Amino acid sequence: MTELTDLVGQFEDFQNYTIEARALSERDQNYDDHHQWTDDEIETLNRRNQAAVVINRIKVKVNRLVGLQKASRTQPRALARTPQHQDGADAVTEAIRYVVDNTDFEMKSSDIFREIIVPGYGGAIVEFTDRNGEKEIIVNKIPWDRYYYDPHSRELDFSDKKFDGIVIWMDRADAIDAFPDKELELKTLMDTSSDSKGSETFDDKPRHWVDPKRDRIRIAQHFFKEKGVWKMAFFTESFYLQEPADSPYLDEFSKPQNPIESQTAYIDRELQRYGEVRSYIWLQDEVNHRRSRLLYAGSVNRTMGEDGAVDDVNEMKQELAKADGHIKTNKGFEFEVLPNDAISETQLLLYRESKAEIDDIGINDALAGRGNSRSGRQDQIQQQAGRVELASLYDGHKHWEKRIYRQIFNRIKQGWNAEKWIRVTDDKTDLKWVGLNQPVTKGDLLLQAAQGGDEMAAEAQAMLQQMVNDPRLNEVAEVKNEVTEMDVDIILTEAPDTHTLRQETFDAMMALAERYGPENVPFSVALELSDLPNKKEAKELLNPPVDPQQQQIQELMFDLDVADKKATIGSKEAKAAKDMEDAKSQAVETEIVKSGYANLVADRDADSVAKKLDNIQKAVETEKLATEPTQSVNVNV
């Protein structure tokens, strides 16, 4: 078994190697919390009657960085590695998102991102908690000043760490409740620490393992690697509260895993970890010091005079500081109040330059979406361009989130062994559920086959009729969405600023409606693009559901109306055809008559006229019989 002194030694190695780094991280955190002057500096300023001014530009920049992270939050999605796991990938996606929502992970993720950019590192532990006899998966944020790690780790994601852990301060009574088999040891535990190098990071703020004032005990939840296997232990300086054993948390290969995932912003060659705020400290100091100097210079004056020019120098300075002060000088002595405009102007110029410089580095107005663009889309383009210099910072955080999602999936595979149903929508009119470890009986399979539309449906229906009350129908044939058998990849899908895009599209639709008329822009499309609440109810009011019986009557009336219209159209078409034939016959007859009459006028011979009249009569009769063979022809020319 691993010796206690070895584990305590690992913790103390962290304390000793990171004293300077943790002191700087504490200072960076103080700057974010408006504590930007040291006690010695404040004392010096007080002696000068000079104000300790804080113009906290760091707070503004940190809030913008965190705000940008919140605006670009991502959602986990599971993709199947093999075709047979394709159906289960969607179920895993919903299961992970269920845990994310259930544990308020988005808020915790933003809090951890803030710690990554301010003190320099942060993390969380994905573990189980018991709720009503069931294992619930939770993601617990680890405060940066309660997390310790392998000081020799070089990776930003701590992937090469040999150990890490959480410092827990517990009241002695609570510790006894948590570890009842160690009650005697806990009751008699006294502070035996001789660590003279203790930092204030974990103190809260006692220096050793026991806080006698509040009767509290420092406990370490320690994870460490031994022969390539992750172990877990709880201990104080003097004894184990829980002896080392394989970590109870398993990875995707069912091997012991460290459930802590942490991330740092930057690391230097001395392996000191620090955040984005570190690069703002010197500029922030310059802003504060110059602003304080400007205020002081504007409230005091310098004087020059000969000895004896004033009776009391202190009284003179007091009067000079007053808005309506009066200085009495003695005759024959030189006395002058020196202007300080040159000094003030120089300090003001340098103050403006330092303030502009700190505002311009890192995240600026364009990156924060506060540019001069009037388009939300243009603001997004500017933000994307400005993210280039911060890409590694945000990529590191996304990588950390992905590792957390993988840990959640590992806990799902490990802890959710029974059938579990997850509601994936809160819409009361359209509830949707996803089942995990869902047993499927032979009866379920037969029923599913019977409801199909293929040739096997009739056979399945016949089998169901024959096997009524057969106990074999209740036998489990397979397990649907069995999490222990799922093999998926976890990816992150971007969550764009849909509100901005939807609003911009809606505004464009309204502009088109004003230009081309509302009748040319469908109202249903504009309603769908709008952000009006309860759009579904509004759609139902605009298109109310039709009563089935009334709908049948309307359909019948419609069919009758169509039939009547078809009959009317047929009658009109027949009449039009007949009129066309009559007109055609009359036109032929008229043409023949006209032709014959013209020849008749040209030929004056009586015999010729009679002969031609006879020919015209025969021609008319022939044409008439061709068009109407059943009617008698009687044409008189």
Side-chain angles (χ1 to χ4, degrees):
M1 183 180 69
T2 304
E3 295 294 333
L4 175 63
T5 54
D6 295 334
L7 302 188
V8 174
Q10 288 180 342
F11 173 79
E12 292 179 348
D13 282 346
F14 166 80
Q15 282 194 307
N16 296 333
Y17 278 105
T18 61
I19 291 176
E20 182 180 354
R22 284 183 288 121
L24 292 174
S25 293
E26 290 171 0
R27 181 204 62 181
D28 296 346
Q29 184 63 60
N30 287 337
Y31 269 63
D32 184 47
D33 295 332
H34 308 290
H35 305 303
Q36 299 181 357
W37 295 87
T38 66
D39 293 339
D40 292 340
E41 289 172 337
I42 293 175
E43 184 179 353
T44 300
L45 293 177
N46 289 337
R47 288 198 303 266
R48 300 176 184 170
N49 292 324
Q50 185 175 343
V53 178
V54 174
I55 308 297
N56 198 345
R57 306 307 298 172
I58 285 180
K59 190 78 169 183
V60 174
K61 301 187 78 62
V62 169
N63 287 340
R64 286 183 177 182
L65 286 168
V66 176
L68 187 58
Q69 181 272 328
K70 292 181 178 180
S72 58
R73 282 172 173 164
T74 56
Q75 288 288 334
R77 182 183 176 190
L79 296 179
R81 289 177 178 172
T82 58
Q84 59 266 31
H85 296 135
Q86 186 64 45
D87 293 338
D90 291 339
V92 172
T93 298
E94 298 300 341
I96 295 175
R97 291 182 180 180
Y98 165 79
V99 176
V100 167
D101 294 338
N102 196 42
T103 195
D104 294 327
F105 175 70
E106 287 187 345
M107 293 295 297
K108 295 176 182 178
S109 177
S110 297
D111 291 343
I112 291 170
F113 180 73
R114 190 181 195 97
E115 293 189 346
I116 291 174
I117 62 179
V118 180
Y121 57 90
I125 180 171
V126 184
E127 53 190 349
F128 294 114
T129 186
D130 185 76
R131 292 180 182 174
N132 300 323
E134 293 186 2
K135 283 185 177 181
E136 281 289 344
I137 302 169
I138 56 174
V139 181
N140 282 328
K141 173 181 174 291
I142 305 173
W144 77 272
D145 56 357
R146 291 293 176 268
Y147 176 65
Y148 65 92
Y149 55 86
D150 181 358
H152 303 292
S153 171
R154 294 179 175 271
E155 299 297 331
L156 296 178
D157 60 357
F158 298 86
S159 57
D160 58 341
K161 63 188 176 184
K162 303 298 182 183
F163 69 87
D164 66 355
I166 307 170
V167 171
I168 307 169
W169 277 102
M170 298 182 70
D171 292 337
R172 194 184 298 267
D174 293 337
I176 292 173
D177 291 339
F179 305 96
D181 56 334
K182 299 293 182 178
E183 180 177 359
L184 179 61
E185 293 90 336
L186 289 169
K187 282 183 176 180
T188 58
L189 178 64
M190 301 297 292
D191 184 18
T192 60
S193 175
S194 59
D195 177 18
S196 60
K197 298 181 180 179
S199 166
E200 294 185 353
T201 304
F202 304 115
D203 291 348
D204 198 32
K205 290 294 185 181
R207 287 195 172 275
H208 305 306
W209 289 83
V210 176
D211 176 14
K213 293 182 179 179
R214 295 178 55 183
D215 196 23
R216 297 186 308 162
I217 300 170
R218 183 165 69 182
I219 299 172
Q221 182 182 7
H222 193 77
F223 294 90
F224 65 100
K225 256 185 180 180
E226 186 177 73
K227 297 180 180 180
V229 178
W230 279 104
K231 307 281 186 176
M232 184 185 76
F234 287 85
F235 61 84
T236 67
E237 184 188 26
S238 304
F239 55 88
Y240 282 120
L241 293 167
Q242 180 177 310
E243 295 186 355
D246 289 353
S247 171
Y249 306 102
L250 306 180
D251 62 14
E252 59 265 37
F253 306 108
S254 299
K255 294 182 178 180
Q257 182 181 30
N258 186 338
I260 296 176
E261 294 292 349
S262 48
Q263 183 72 26
T264 192
Y266 308 105
I267 186 170
D268 63 17
R269 60 183 299 179
E270 300 297 330
L271 304 185
Q272 293 188 357
R273 299 175 184 269
Y274 62 96
E276 181 71 17
V277 166
R278 187 70 55 86
S279 60
Y280 307 151
I281 296 296
W282 299 275
L283 288 172
Q284 179 66 66
D285 281 342
E286 186 176 4
V287 169
N288 290 340
H289 290 196
R290 294 197 185 281
R291 182 63 175 267
S292 178
R293 175 65 177 170
L294 284 170
L295 289 175
Y296 181 70
S299 61
V300 298
N301 292 284
R302 297 180 300 160
T303 61
M304 182 179 68
E306 297 178 346
D307 288 341
V310 294
D311 295 334
D312 190 332
V313 175
N314 291 330
E315 181 182 357
M316 179 269 295
K317 289 183 177 181
Q318 292 176 1
E319 291 295 324
L320 194 61
K322 296 179 181 178
D324 57 349
H326 174 71
I327 301 172
K328 182 179 179 180
T329 61
N330 297 322
K331 292 182 179 180
F333 295 91
E334 291 186 2
F335 179 83
E336 181 181 0
V337 178
L338 299 177
N340 60 4
D341 293 342
I343 296 177
S344 298
E345 290 178 2
T346 301
Q347 294 290 343
L348 180 60
L349 177 62
L350 293 174
Y351 168 74
R352 288 175 176 172
E353 287 184 355
S354 58
K355 184 173 178 291
E357 187 172 355
I358 193 175
D359 288 343
D360 191 56
I361 63 175
I363 185 169
N364 48 39
D365 285 343
L367 181 56
R370 299 176 60 184
N372 297 324
S373 172
R374 298 181 62 184
S375 168
R377 180 56 182 164
Q378 291 180 2
D379 286 340
Q380 288 180 341
I381 294 173
Q382 290 179 352
Q383 290 177 8
Q384 292 172 359
R387 282 187 183 184
V388 173
E389 61 182 286
L390 298 172
S392 61
L393 192 65
Y394 285 97
D395 283 349
H397 183 252
K398 287 184 179 180
H399 180 54
W400 173 83
E401 285 186 327
K402 182 177 179 179
R403 301 197 312 270
I404 288 290
Y405 297 145
R406 169 57 66 175
Q407 290 268 7
I408 291 174
F409 178 56
N410 293 341
R411 298 298 94 78
I412 289 174
K413 293 180 67 174
Q414 179 184 355
W416 289 2
N417 300 319
E419 181 179 5
K420 189 177 184 68
W421 288 89
I422 299 171
R423 189 172 67 182
V424 298
T425 177
D426 291 330
D427 189 349
K428 295 181 179 179
T429 61
D430 188 21
L431 290 177
K432 293 182 180 179
W433 299 79
V434 169
L436 299 176
N437 301 315
Q438 180 185 353
V440 180
T441 64
K442 294 180 179 179
D444 294 333
L445 294 177
L446 278 176
L447 182 60
Q448 183 179 358
Q451 293 174 347
D454 53 12
E455 62 276 4
M456 299 295 294
E459 183 178 349
Q461 292 174 3
M463 291 183 65
L464 281 174
Q465 292 177 357
Q466 295 175 2
M467 298 179 66
V468 175
N469 298 325
D470 191 326
R472 290 178 295 175
L473 293 177
N474 297 323
E475 294 178 0
V476 177
E478 62 182 39
V479 178
K480 186 178 180 181
N481 294 335
E482 186 175 6
V483 295
T484 58
E485 299 297 329
M486 291 181 180
D487 190 15
V488 299
D489 281 324
I490 306 296
I491 67 170
L492 300 180
T493 55
E494 292 292 338
D497 190 357
T498 54
H499 174 75
T500 301
L501 295 175
R502 287 170 59 88
Q503 186 63 40
E504 193 168 334
T505 305
F506 178 75
D507 292 342
M509 289 287 295
M510 294 301 96
L512 290 174
E514 292 179 1
R515 182 174 182 180
Y516 298 106
E519 66 277 2
N520 295 318
V521 179
F523 177 75
S524 59
V525 177
L527 178 63
E528 187 65 30
L529 293 174
S530 71
D531 289 319
L532 294 174
N534 302 321
K535 287 193 293 185
K536 185 174 182 180
E537 288 77 0
K539 293 176 184 178
E540 292 178 352
L541 290 175
L542 293 173
N543 300 292
V546 181
D547 180 72
Q549 184 176 1
Q550 185 67 25
Q551 185 176 5
Q552 290 180 0
I553 295 174
Q554 292 179 356
E555 291 177 354
L556 179 60
M557 294 179 64
F558 177 78
D559 292 340
L560 292 174
D561 183 60
V562 170
D564 181 66
K565 289 181 178 179
K566 286 183 177 180
T568 302
I569 292 173
S571 176
K572 291 182 178 180
E573 288 179 347
K575 185 177 182 302
K578 184 176 183 305
D579 292 343
M580 184 178 295
E581 292 296 335
D582 291 345
K584 181 179 179 181
S585 176
Q586 184 65 35
V588 171
E589 181 178 346
T590 302
E591 184 65 28
I592 295 173
V593 171
K594 286 182 178 180
S595 177
Y597 182 76
N599 294 331
L600 179 63
V601 173
D603 191 352
R604 298 292 182 176
D605 184 36
D607 293 336
S608 177
V609 170
K611 185 177 181 179
K612 288 183 177 181
L613 285 175
D614 185 59
N615 291 337
I616 290 172
Q617 180 71 22
K618 290 180 179 180
V620 171
E621 290 177 355
T622 301
E623 182 63 27
K624 201 69 172 176
L625 288 172
T627 56
E628 299 178 9
T630 59
Q631 298 180 7
S632 58
V633 179
N634 186 14
V635 179
N636 295 318
V637 179

